[in-house]
Protein backbone atom coordinates (compact mmCIF):
# COMPACT_ATOMS: atom_id res chain seq x y z
CA UNK A 1 0.00 0.00 0.00
CA UNK A 2 1.22 3.46 -0.88
CA UNK A 3 0.12 5.64 1.99
CA UNK A 4 0.29 6.32 5.66
CA UNK A 5 -0.50 4.06 8.61
CA UNK A 6 -1.92 5.75 11.69
CA UNK A 7 -2.74 4.20 15.07
CA UNK A 8 -6.41 3.58 14.31
CA UNK A 9 -6.64 3.78 10.52
CA UNK A 10 -4.64 3.70 7.29
CA UNK A 11 -4.74 6.12 4.37
CA UNK A 12 -3.80 5.15 0.81
CA UNK A 13 -2.96 8.20 -1.30
CA UNK A 14 -1.31 7.07 -4.53
CA UNK A 15 -4.38 8.12 -6.57
CA UNK A 16 -4.76 11.52 -4.87
CA UNK A 17 -3.25 14.75 -6.16
CA UNK A 18 -2.58 15.91 -2.61
CA UNK A 19 -0.90 13.30 -0.44
CA UNK A 20 -1.01 12.96 3.33
CA UNK A 21 0.84 16.00 4.64
CA UNK A 22 1.86 17.67 7.88
CA UNK A 23 -0.68 20.43 7.12
CA UNK A 24 -3.55 17.96 7.09
CA UNK A 25 -2.34 16.18 10.22
CA UNK A 26 -1.94 19.49 12.05
CA UNK A 27 -5.45 20.63 11.18
CA UNK A 28 -7.02 17.27 11.98
CA UNK A 29 -5.39 17.20 15.41
CA UNK A 30 -5.91 20.91 16.23
CA UNK A 31 -9.39 21.73 14.88
CA UNK A 32 -12.02 22.84 17.38
CA UNK A 33 -14.58 20.02 17.50
CA UNK A 34 -16.29 21.05 20.73
CA UNK A 35 -19.35 22.57 19.07
CA UNK A 36 -22.28 20.29 18.23
CA UNK A 37 -22.84 17.01 16.49
CA UNK A 38 -22.34 17.49 12.73
CA UNK A 39 -19.14 18.13 10.75
CA UNK A 40 -18.41 18.94 7.12
CA UNK A 41 -14.95 18.46 5.62
CA UNK A 42 -14.56 20.53 2.44
CA UNK A 43 -12.15 18.83 0.04
CA UNK A 44 -11.82 15.26 1.28
CA UNK A 45 -8.61 14.44 -0.58
CA UNK A 46 -7.55 11.13 0.95
CA UNK A 47 -10.24 11.34 3.62
CA UNK A 48 -7.58 12.14 6.25
CA UNK A 49 -9.33 15.08 7.93
CA UNK A 50 -12.69 13.35 8.12
CA UNK A 51 -11.05 10.25 9.63
CA UNK A 52 -8.99 12.21 12.17
CA UNK A 53 -12.01 14.22 13.29
CA UNK A 54 -14.13 11.08 13.61
CA UNK A 55 -11.43 9.43 15.72
CA UNK A 56 -11.29 12.46 18.01
CA UNK A 57 -15.08 12.81 18.30
CA UNK A 58 -16.81 9.53 17.40
CA UNK A 59 -20.24 11.03 18.11
CA UNK A 60 -19.91 13.44 15.18
CA UNK A 61 -21.96 12.88 12.06
CA UNK A 62 -19.21 13.47 9.51
CA UNK A 63 -19.81 14.44 5.87
CA UNK A 64 -17.09 15.26 3.37
CA UNK A 65 -17.10 16.63 -0.18
CA UNK A 66 -14.50 15.96 -2.89
CA UNK A 67 -14.60 17.42 -6.41
CA UNK A 68 -12.07 15.07 -8.05
CA UNK A 69 -13.51 11.68 -9.02
CA UNK A 70 -10.24 9.78 -8.53
CA UNK A 71 -9.62 11.25 -5.09
CA UNK A 72 -13.27 10.62 -4.21
CA UNK A 73 -12.83 6.93 -5.09
CA UNK A 74 -9.70 6.59 -2.99
CA UNK A 75 -11.15 8.50 -0.03
CA UNK A 76 -14.24 6.28 -0.24
CA UNK A 77 -12.02 3.21 -0.03
CA UNK A 78 -10.03 4.63 2.90
CA UNK A 79 -13.24 5.43 4.77
CA UNK A 80 -14.87 2.05 4.04
CA UNK A 81 -11.81 0.22 5.41
CA UNK A 82 -11.61 2.40 8.54
CA UNK A 83 -13.39 1.89 11.88
CA UNK A 84 -15.86 4.60 10.78
CA UNK A 85 -17.47 3.53 7.49
CA UNK A 86 -20.50 5.68 8.40
CA UNK A 87 -18.61 8.81 7.25
CA UNK A 88 -20.55 10.09 4.23
CA UNK A 89 -18.60 11.30 1.20
CA UNK A 90 -19.98 13.17 -1.82
CA UNK A 91 -18.37 13.58 -5.24
CA UNK A 92 -19.21 17.26 -5.72
CA UNK A 93 -17.77 20.74 -5.73
CA UNK A 94 -18.66 22.71 -2.62
CA UNK A 95 -20.15 25.55 -4.66
CA UNK A 96 -23.09 23.36 -5.76
CA UNK A 97 -23.22 21.07 -2.70
CA UNK A 98 -26.47 21.29 -0.74
CA UNK A 99 -27.48 19.89 2.62
CA UNK A 100 -30.61 19.81 4.72
CA UNK A 101 -28.33 19.92 7.76
CA UNK A 102 -26.55 23.10 8.83
CA UNK A 103 -23.16 21.94 10.10
CA UNK A 104 -21.86 22.69 13.59
CA UNK A 105 -18.21 22.30 12.56
CA UNK A 106 -16.51 22.81 9.19
CA UNK A 107 -12.89 21.89 8.44
CA UNK A 108 -10.90 22.67 5.31
CA UNK A 109 -7.31 22.45 4.11
CA UNK A 110 -8.03 24.67 1.10
CA UNK A 111 -6.18 25.42 -2.14
CA UNK A 112 -4.14 28.58 -1.71
CA UNK A 113 -1.86 29.11 -4.72
CA UNK A 114 -2.90 32.28 -6.56
CA UNK A 115 -1.43 33.74 -9.76
CA UNK A 116 1.46 31.31 -9.88
CA UNK A 117 2.69 28.87 -12.53
CA UNK A 118 0.73 25.64 -12.82
CA UNK A 119 2.05 22.23 -13.72
CA UNK A 120 0.56 19.76 -16.16
CA UNK A 121 -1.39 17.75 -13.56
CA UNK A 122 -4.99 19.01 -13.67
CA UNK A 123 -6.04 17.24 -10.46
CA UNK A 124 -3.06 18.65 -8.57
CA UNK A 125 -3.78 22.13 -9.93
CA UNK A 126 -7.39 21.85 -8.77
CA UNK A 127 -6.28 20.80 -5.30
CA UNK A 128 -3.64 23.53 -4.97
CA UNK A 129 -4.86 26.63 -6.85
CA UNK A 130 -7.57 29.05 -5.75
CA UNK A 131 -9.19 29.33 -9.19
CA UNK A 132 -10.94 26.02 -8.41
CA UNK A 133 -12.09 27.30 -5.01
CA UNK A 134 -11.39 30.93 -4.12
CA UNK A 135 -11.33 32.15 -0.54
CA UNK A 136 -14.50 34.13 -1.28
CA UNK A 137 -16.29 31.01 -2.57
CA UNK A 138 -15.13 29.02 0.44
CA UNK A 139 -16.45 31.65 2.85
CA UNK A 140 -19.77 31.85 0.99
CA UNK A 141 -20.08 28.06 1.24
CA UNK A 142 -19.42 28.15 4.97
CA UNK A 143 -22.01 30.89 5.44
CA UNK A 144 -24.56 28.90 3.44
CA UNK A 145 -23.96 25.61 5.27
CA UNK A 146 -23.52 26.90 8.84
CA UNK A 147 -25.46 28.58 11.65
CA UNK A 148 -24.63 31.25 14.25
CA UNK A 149 -22.93 28.75 16.55
CA UNK A 150 -20.80 27.05 13.88
CA UNK A 151 -17.00 26.89 13.89
CA UNK A 152 -14.84 27.02 10.74
CA UNK A 153 -11.35 25.45 11.04
CA UNK A 154 -8.74 26.20 8.35
CA UNK A 155 -4.98 25.91 7.79
CA UNK A 156 -3.14 28.26 5.40
CA UNK A 157 0.37 29.63 4.83
CA UNK A 158 0.84 32.73 6.98
CA UNK A 159 0.70 35.27 4.12
CA UNK A 160 -2.48 33.79 2.66
CA UNK A 161 -3.91 33.51 6.18
CA UNK A 162 -3.83 37.28 6.57
CA UNK A 163 -5.83 37.64 3.35
CA UNK A 164 -8.30 35.05 4.56
CA UNK A 165 -8.71 36.72 7.97
CA UNK A 166 -9.53 40.00 6.23
CA UNK A 167 -12.08 38.39 3.90
CA UNK A 168 -13.64 36.47 6.79
CA UNK A 169 -13.97 39.65 8.85
CA UNK A 170 -15.75 41.37 5.96
CA UNK A 171 -18.28 38.52 6.05
CA UNK A 172 -18.87 38.86 9.80
CA UNK A 173 -16.61 36.01 10.92
CA UNK A 174 -14.32 36.48 13.89
CA UNK A 175 -10.96 34.77 14.41
CA UNK A 176 -11.46 32.84 17.65
CA UNK A 177 -8.32 30.66 17.82
CA UNK A 178 -5.02 31.15 16.02
CA UNK A 179 -1.89 28.99 16.18
CA UNK A 180 1.29 29.95 14.30
CA UNK A 181 3.28 26.89 13.25
CA UNK A 182 7.05 26.91 12.72
CA UNK A 183 9.29 23.97 11.86
CA UNK A 184 11.99 24.90 14.42
CA UNK A 185 12.37 27.56 17.12
CA UNK A 186 14.84 29.54 15.02
CA UNK A 187 12.59 29.80 11.95
CA UNK A 188 9.64 32.05 11.24
CA UNK A 189 6.14 30.61 11.29
CA UNK A 190 5.04 29.23 7.93
CA UNK A 191 1.48 28.05 8.69
CA UNK A 192 -1.56 29.47 10.46
CA UNK A 193 -4.11 27.20 12.10
CA UNK A 194 -7.32 29.19 12.52
CA UNK A 195 -10.81 28.78 13.93
CA UNK A 196 -13.51 31.28 12.97
CA UNK A 197 -16.98 31.86 14.35
CA UNK A 198 -19.82 34.35 14.25
CA UNK A 199 -19.26 35.41 17.88
CA UNK A 200 -16.34 37.70 18.84
CA UNK A 201 -13.78 36.25 21.27
CA UNK A 202 -10.45 37.42 22.57
CA UNK A 203 -7.84 35.70 20.40
CA UNK A 204 -4.18 35.62 21.39
CA UNK A 205 -2.08 33.66 18.87
CA UNK A 206 -0.16 30.68 20.19
CA UNK A 207 3.00 29.22 18.67
CA UNK A 208 3.62 25.56 17.88
CA UNK A 209 7.14 24.35 17.05
CA UNK A 210 7.28 21.01 15.24
CA UNK A 211 10.94 20.01 15.72
CA UNK A 212 13.48 20.52 18.49
CA UNK A 213 17.05 21.52 17.65
CA UNK A 214 18.03 17.83 17.66
CA UNK A 215 15.48 17.14 14.91
CA UNK A 216 13.09 15.20 17.13
CA UNK A 217 9.46 16.19 17.47
CA UNK A 218 8.84 18.82 20.13
CA UNK A 219 6.86 18.01 23.27
CA UNK A 220 4.04 20.28 22.06
CA UNK A 221 3.81 18.54 18.68
CA UNK A 222 3.87 15.11 20.35
CA UNK A 223 1.09 16.19 22.73
CA UNK A 224 -1.01 17.36 19.79
CA UNK A 225 -0.45 14.38 17.48
CA UNK A 226 0.37 11.39 19.68
CA UNK A 227 -3.08 9.83 19.24
CA UNK A 228 -2.42 9.50 15.50
CA UNK A 229 1.24 8.83 14.69
CA UNK A 230 2.07 5.13 14.86
CA UNK A 231 5.52 5.62 16.42
CA UNK A 232 4.86 8.57 18.72
Amino acid sequence: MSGFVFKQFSVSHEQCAMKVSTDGILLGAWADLTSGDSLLDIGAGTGLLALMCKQRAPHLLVNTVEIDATAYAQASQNISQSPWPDIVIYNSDIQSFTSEVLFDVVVCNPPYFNDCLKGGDHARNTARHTDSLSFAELLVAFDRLSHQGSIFNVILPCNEAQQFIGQAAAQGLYLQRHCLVRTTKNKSATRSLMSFGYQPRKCEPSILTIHNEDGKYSDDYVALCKDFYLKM
Side-chain angles (χ1 to χ4, degrees), residues 105-185:
V105 182
V106 177
V107 295
C108 185
N109 180 6
Y112 56 80
F113 285 116
N114 191 7
D115 297 327
C116 57
L117 188 65
K118 296 180 181 179
D121 187 329
H122 175 72
R124 187 168 173 83
N125 289 336
T126 299
R128 290 163 61 90
H129 291 263
T130 57
D131 55 3
S132 62
L133 178 62
S134 69
F135 291 167
E137 288 173 318
L138 182 56
L139 287 162
V140 166
F142 174 71
D143 181 68
R144 179 169 55 83
L145 296 164
S146 66
H147 55 78
Q148 284 299 304
S150 299
I151 301 296
F152 189 18
N153 301 284
V154 183
I155 185 169
L156 283 168
C158 291
N159 287 340
E160 285 78 7
Q162 291 306 309
Q163 301 172 28
F164 194 86
I165 291 168
Q167 291 189 36
Q171 191 169 298
L173 285 172
Y174 297 90
L175 184 60
Q176 296 182 342
R177 293 173 68 223
H178 190 190
C179 179
L180 296 167
V181 183
R182 58 191 182 187
T183 53
T184 64
K185 188 169 66 174

Side-chain angles (χ1 to χ4, degrees), residues 19-149:
K19 311 302 184 187
V20 171
S21 68
T22 301
D23 282 10
I25 294 169
L26 279 165
L27 182 58
W30 183 88
D32 184 349
L33 307 182
T34 58
S35 173
D37 301 309
S38 58
L39 179 143
L40 176 65
D41 169 28
I42 299 176
T46 62
L48 173 67
L49 276 177
L51 290 163
M52 290 184 72
C53 290
K54 188 70 172 180
Q55 178 183 321
R56 288 178 54 199
H59 72 280
L60 282 174
L61 299 174
V62 176
N63 288 258
T64 184
V65 177
E66 173 54 51
I67 187 173
D68 181 75
T70 304
Y72 163 79
Q74 184 140 69
S76 297
Q77 182 181 35
N78 288 333
I79 288 166
S80 69
Q81 294 175 351
S82 79
W84 312 285
D86 57 314
I87 294 171
V88 180
I89 181 169
Y90 299 91
N91 186 196
S92 171
D93 61 88
I94 195 61
Q95 294 94 328
S96 60
F97 175 73
T98 59
S99 171
E100 295 181 2
V101 174
L102 294 180
F103 295 96
D104 303 315
V105 182
V106 177
V107 295
C108 185
N109 180 6
Y112 56 80
F113 285 116
N114 191 7
D115 297 327
C116 57
L117 188 65
K118 296 180 181 179
D121 187 329
H122 175 72
R124 187 168 173 83
N125 289 336
T126 299
R128 290 163 61 90
H129 291 263
T130 57
D131 55 3
S132 62
L133 178 62
S134 69
F135 291 167
E137 288 173 318
L138 182 56
L139 287 162
V140 166
F142 174 71
D143 181 68
R144 179 169 55 83
L145 296 164
S146 66
H147 55 78
Q148 284 299 304

